[in-house]
Structures are given as C-alpha cells and as structure tokens.
Amino acid sequence: MAERFEVPDGWVLQAYQYALDPTPAQSAALESHAGGARFAYNTMLRAVKANLGQREAEKSYGIANADLTPTLAWSFQSLRNDFNRRKHHVAVREDGTPWWPKNSKEAYANACRNLAEALKNWDESRKGKRKGRRVGFPSFKSKRSTRSFGFTTGTIKVEPDRHHVTLPRLGTLRVHESTRKLARRLEAGMARVLKATVRFERGRWLVSFTCVVERAAARPAHVKRLAPVVGVDLGVKDLIVAATPEGREVLRVQAPKELKRASRKLRALQRKAARQAGPWDAAANARREPSRGWLRTQQAIASQHVRVANLRRDRLHKLTTLLAQSFDVIGTETLAVRNMMAAGGARKKGLNRSIADAGLGEFSRQLDYKTSWYSSTRVQADRWYPSSKTCSGCGSVKAKLSLSERLYVCDNTDCGMVIDRDLNAAINLARLARAEQSARFDSGGADRKTTAPAAQVAVKPESSNGSASPQGEAA
Ligand SMILES: [Zn+2]
C-alpha cells in the first residue's frame, strides 16, 4: 500500500486516547459521521459482493475468463473513487437532496480504507499468504456494531490549552482529561499525528490519536538522576525500595492509598457476594437461580475489578519509568521466578499485592524496554541469590527469614545489625549490580552470568568509619 507510513529509526508508534465531552450538537455530528462511515463501508462491501457474485454466475454459464465482468478493484483509492461517484445517487434523502455533504469526506474515505484492508486480509488469508488465524470475508456493519470513524488528513489538532482537540468538520471538541503529554511532544516536534479515530464505547465518545513519537534516548530534563547504581527490592511492606551499594536509601515508594482503598472495596464486595444466594446452593448441592442481589453485586465486582486493574497498570508504568529514568544501573531479583508462588505462600502472607497482582512479569518487561529507551542498564540477580537473607553488614546468610519479619536482625553476634528488611535486600542487589557492571567492563563488555557470592558484598551499610567499604569507592 502506497500510503503506508514507514516509522523512522528511533521513533515508535504510539496511541493517545481521550474521552470527549461533546455538546449536544457535536454529539449529533459524531453520530452522523459514524453513520456515514458505516454507510460508505456497507455500500462498497455490497458492490464488491455483487461483483464477485456476478463473476461466479458468469463462470457457471461457461463464459470465458477474458469476457467476465471485470473485477471491481479493491484498493483503497478505487473504493474511495467509486464511492465518490456513487454517493450522488445513494447518499440522498427521500426527496432527492443529498445528505453526504454534512459529514467530512474523510470519514467516508477512511471507511473505504478499512474495507480495503479487510478485503486484503481476507484475500491473503485464503491464499495462504497471511499468518495466523483465518480471516473471513468482511461482514456488513449493523446499527449495533461499534460506531466509529477516522481521519487521516484535514485539520487534526491538539489545542494548546490542553483541553480541546480539533477534528475535520466536527470543529473543536472538549476532551475530558488533559492532553498535556501529547501536546508537549507535538509542540517539541517529537510527535506527529498519523490518524485520529473516534468511536463510541461504554457510553461515551473517545478519540484516539495514532502518532509516531520520537523516543527520548536521554532522560527528560525535569527528571533528576538520583544515583548511578542502585538495587531495587520489591518490598513486603512498600512497593519498592531502592538503595545504593554504599547503603543509602534513595527511593521508597508506597502503595497508593486509592489503590489500597479500591482493593479493599473489591474484597468487601466479594465477601458480600459470598453471603448472597449465588448460582450454586451448597446446602442442597445443586444449581439454582441466583438472587437479584447477587447479580447486582457481581456487576459491582466487575466494574471494581476494572478500576483496580487500571490503577495498578498506571502505577506500574509510573514506577518503571521512574526507575529507568533515575538510575544508570538497576539491580533486581529475577522477578519472574520469584519463589512467591511456591505453596501459595508469599502472596497470601502479604508480598505487596499491588505489584504481585499486576504481575511481576509485566514489571520486568516494562523495566527491560524502558531501560533500553533511557539507555540505563538492568542487572538481574541469579535466581538463587539470597538478597533478602544476606546481611548487608557482614555478609552472613540467614537460613530462614519469614515474610512477617519486617526487620532484618543479623544472627552473627559480631555483627548484630538491625535494618529494614527491604532496604537490606536493596543494598545487596545494588552491590551485585555494581559488581556485575565492573565485571562486564573488565571483560570488555562481554556478557557474563550474574553471580555474586555473599562474601563479596560484605560491607556494613550504616557504618561511618570510613574504612568500611573495600569496594565502595571502586564504582
Ligand atoms: Zn551481619
């Protein structure tokens, strides 16, 4: 396709979505555009179908291939031109006056583009040129289909006041939330809008801008660089604790209150549902018609689930961005295989739910790609490395440390250190990361497996006697 846009090196495609607050007149115009787009899509689909049917019929009469009715071209341009010829006859009211001019021609064009894409996918799929699931022949859009339409050219603007967007024909619409992030990037020339899609979903109109965005290779100017090397522990009590190899705590992020509140409410609803008459009667050991109260509670549970998931996702993104931007080298545990799921233990006993439930794998994945965006490095400890059980003061390793122990108390009587358990783990991870970094540096950048014997991290963090750190000044 000629109009397919190649994303330049160092740029990525990104979508920004906002809920709209249209006036009643604008709502009607949005409705009309969606209807117009559906009309164009269905009109051209009907034409393509009729053409295919005609050719099938002719073939069955034994008409030579060369004499068949010519195929109706499926490219976006032909569909669009074809629709523009037809619209004067089909997009008219009973009295013959045309209605098509009231919508932006872009809405029709974009519907033709979507149809061309759907036909191409179907065609390639049936010819075996397309991977994945089989794509069926496009179907007509009914009034109950998702109402949507799009613009690729024309006046598409994110207004400087951060609270309005301008779209062709629809004019300037109010957006529900601030467009600050996108507006800033557009103003700085670091983003370009390729397409605006408008759709009606769950009771409101949304606009989504598909953009090419330049990825910042350096951290944004407003983000302070907190330390060169840190270890990050996903805490039992707090979300994360970050510390330097020297034992300084540089960051401690607590689970947001609203998330705690939302999770608590979700659990309360689940308990409520358990008291109500659900679809299973345990006493009679039989199915039954659930009560209306139970059904109502289920609805509330579903929407509360969505809310909690959104809060978690938002939290996780902010956290991984902060880490990737604030430090050069970040040491973490091997998160995906953290022993937390073993015997269902850690999760139940309270490993911070906010991160556990949002998925350690997701935390790990985000940290990986964000460190590559901001040219920081992530070092993962060997999965058996006992970051929590190791004393950051003397290096001795405890046999057992239960999750309820919030303080690390060293068993070594010569040491006797008492320290916040998450901070202790973070310090160990920071030292591990530093050791790994210098090992990589020494071996000329070749990757080496991360292992660090406990003895290597035998540095007392809170001592101030100057001679404490054998490698403290090395980095
Ligand atoms: Zn110790």
Side-chain angles (χ1 to χ4, degrees), residues 334 337 339 381-387 389-390 397 449-450 452:
T334 300
V337 291
N339 51 5
D382 182 88
R383 62 176 288 194
W384 305 117
Y385 176 63
S387 61
K389 290 182 194 155
T390 304
V397 181
K449 199 164 159 38
T450 315

Side-chain angles (χ1 to χ4, degrees), residues 390-397 408-418 424 460:
T390 304
C391 173
S392 62
C394 69
S396 65
V397 181
Y408 183 98
V409 181
C410 185
D411 296 335
N412 180 352
T413 42
D414 292 339
C415 170
M417 189 171 80
V418 178
N424 181 58
K460 206 167 195 151

Side-chain angles (χ1 to χ4, degrees), residues 31-349:
E31 209 57 78
S32 167
H33 274 76
R38 181 166 56 91
F39 180 83
Y41 188 96
N42 287 347
T43 300
M44 293 321 295
L45 179 56
R46 206 170 287 119
V48 170
K49 256 189 148 159
N51 175 261
L52 287 173
Q54 172 80 25
R55 285 170 60 89
E56 276 309 306
E58 288 171 2
K59 272 186 209 160
S60 72
Y61 307 147
I63 295 175
N65 260 350
D67 299 330
L68 292 177
T69 304
T71 323
L72 194 135
W74 292 346
S75 75
F76 156 57
Q77 288 89 346
S78 352
L79 289 177
R80 182 191 54 192
N81 296 342
D82 202 333
F83 179 77
N84 283 340
R85 281 191 297 274
R86 285 168 202 254
K87 70 184 177 190
H88 304 285
H89 314 291
V90 294
V92 291
R93 297 184 190 90
E94 304 248 310
D95 63 3
T97 55
W99 58 256
W100 58 264
K102 73 173 179 172
N103 299 323
S104 161
K105 63 182 187 341
E106 265 289 295
Y108 305 123
N110 202 65
C112 293
R113 188 193 307 275
N114 291 344
L115 178 59
E117 190 73 24
L119 286 164
K120 186 173 138 250
N121 290 345
W122 161 71
D123 190 44
E124 286 179 355
S125 178
R126 76 180 167 151
K127 287 177 182 157
K129 283 195 261 172
R130 190 186 153 90
K131 283 194 216 119
R133 256 183 53 197
R134 254 200 100 111
V135 179
F137 192 77
S139 48
F140 291 107
K141 294 204 185 297
S142 77
K143 279 199 170 155
R144 271 182 298 170
S145 310
T146 305
R147 282 166 272 173
S148 77
F149 57 96
F151 302 105
T152 46
T153 58
T155 317
I156 303 172
K157 256 170 72 187
V158 176
E159 297 297 337
D161 71 355
R162 318 291 203 233
H163 276 288
H164 291 87
V165 296
T166 300
L167 296 172
R169 189 57 60 98
L170 295 159
T172 301
L173 297 123
R174 195 177 156 75
V175 260
H176 197 69
E177 58 271 78
S178 168
T179 61
R180 177 175 44 89
K181 273 187 192 157
L182 174 58
R184 267 202 206 137
R185 290 207 149 128
L186 288 169
E187 285 158 16
M190 284 172 65
R192 218 181 97 197
V193 176
L194 296 181
K195 186 178 172 184
T197 311
V198 182
R199 67 177 194 286
F200 190 78
E201 209 177 87
R202 272 173 291 176
R204 70 189 313 174
W205 287 98
L206 307 167
V207 62
S208 170
F209 295 99
T210 308
C211 306
V212 276
V213 176
E214 189 178 0
R215 266 287 142 220
R219 64 176 63 80
H222 65 275
V223 179
K224 263 209 318 237
R225 185 164 162 279
L226 294 174
V229 182
V230 287
V232 171
D233 183 67
L234 299 187
V236 172
K237 191 173 66 193
D238 298 306
L239 271 181
I240 55 163
V241 177
T244 65
E246 292 77 28
R248 185 164 58 92
E249 179 180 313
V250 284
L251 189 68
R252 185 180 284 262
V253 180
Q254 261 142 28
K257 282 208 183 69
E258 50 175 353
L259 183 53
K260 282 186 187 162
R261 217 176 297 130
S263 309
R264 208 159 43 226
K265 190 170 170 203
L266 180 59
R267 286 195 296 276
L269 282 168
Q270 281 161 339
R271 279 194 302 272
K272 184 177 175 191
R275 289 192 303 268
Q276 291 169 320
W280 184 257
D281 187 347
N285 205 17
R287 294 188 68 80
R288 69 178 167 203
E289 199 62 30
S291 71
R292 294 179 66 153
W294 184 86
L295 290 170
R296 240 194 328 269
T297 311
Q298 291 305 311
Q299 264 187 3
I301 287 174
S303 60
Q304 192 65 13
H305 262 304
V306 173
R307 186 173 145 68
V308 170
N310 285 342
L311 284 169
R312 283 209 180 103
R313 195 173 325 114
D314 180 60
R315 191 68 214 158
L316 204 55
H317 267 293
K318 283 187 177 140
L319 214 53
T320 48
T321 300
L322 178 70
L323 291 173
Q325 289 182 342
S326 309
F327 310 107
D328 294 334
V329 180
I330 302 152
T332 65
E333 295 158 88
T334 300
L335 298 169
V337 291
R338 188 164 172 154
N339 51 5
M340 53 173 291
M341 296 305 168
R347 192 183 178 87
K348 271 191 197 144
K349 286 178 204 145

